[in-house]
Amino acid sequence: QVQLVESGGGLVQAGGSLRLSCAASGRTFSSYRMGWFRQAPGKEREFVAAVNWSGGTAYYADSVRGRFTISRDNAKNTGYLQMNSLKPEDTAVYYCAADVRPKPYSYYYPYEYDYWGQGTQVTVSS
């Protein structure tokens, strides 16, 4: 079992920054891949970023590459999503997720993840 709790969301102006955190408990944090997804009203949940168990390999959606950075601190059982140059279209509920049986190159779809947090709202005003 893995429990995930996101924090750090809020309201920010376009061009601003936020850092989301994902506190994990339960299964050994360093044993699984961690991902971030988001879901805007009326839209499907979409991939944002993922990082492997060590933090050495990261993947990004084209829409956020160069603006967002995913990272993890295994000693603190916490993952992060640093979001810079935010745009109104980044407005969504952001979720962190854990894939406890990661396969190579299988990080993009929500069904590949086993555990989810409750989400944190990010609102970017224009």
Side-chain angles (χ1 to χ4, degrees), residues 4 22 32-37 95-99 113 115-117:
L4 303 171
C22 176
Y32 51 84
R33 176 183 290 145
M34 191 190 73
W36 286 95
F37 289 75
Y95 299 89
C96 67
D99 178 0
Y113 292 78
Y115 299 95
W116 293 83

Side-chain angles (χ1 to χ4, degrees), residues 97-108:
D99 178 0
V100 300
R101 291 176 297 272
K103 300 177 179 62
Y105 309 108
S106 296
Y107 56 84
Y108 189 81

Side-chain angles (χ1 to χ4, degrees), residues 30-52:
S30 59
S31 68
Y32 51 84
R33 176 183 290 145
M34 191 190 73
W36 286 95
F37 289 75
R38 65 188 182 187
Q39 188 166 18
K43 294 188 177 182
E44 294 186 352
R45 192 168 297 191
E46 66 173 2
F47 172 75
V48 175
V51 66
N52 74 336

Side-chain angles (χ1 to χ4, degrees), residues 28-97:
T28 303
F29 183 65
S30 59
S31 68
Y32 51 84
R33 176 183 290 145
M34 191 190 73
W36 286 95
F37 289 75
R38 65 188 182 187
Q39 188 166 18
K43 294 188 177 182
E44 294 186 352
R45 192 168 297 191
E46 66 173 2
F47 172 75
V48 175
V51 66
N52 74 336
W53 67 274
S54 69
T57 302
Y59 310 91
Y60 295 96
D62 289 343
S63 59
V64 307
R65 186 175 291 111
R67 299 188 298 122
F68 291 10
T69 302
I70 189 172
S71 62
R72 64 192 298 164
D73 186 337
N74 289 342
K76 296 182 177 179
N77 292 342
T78 303
Y80 304 97
L81 185 68
Q82 177 67 43
M83 305 186 296
N84 298 331
S85 302
L86 282 161
K87 304 175 182 180
E89 51 263 45
D90 295 318
T91 295
V93 177
Y94 283 71
Y95 299 89
C96 67

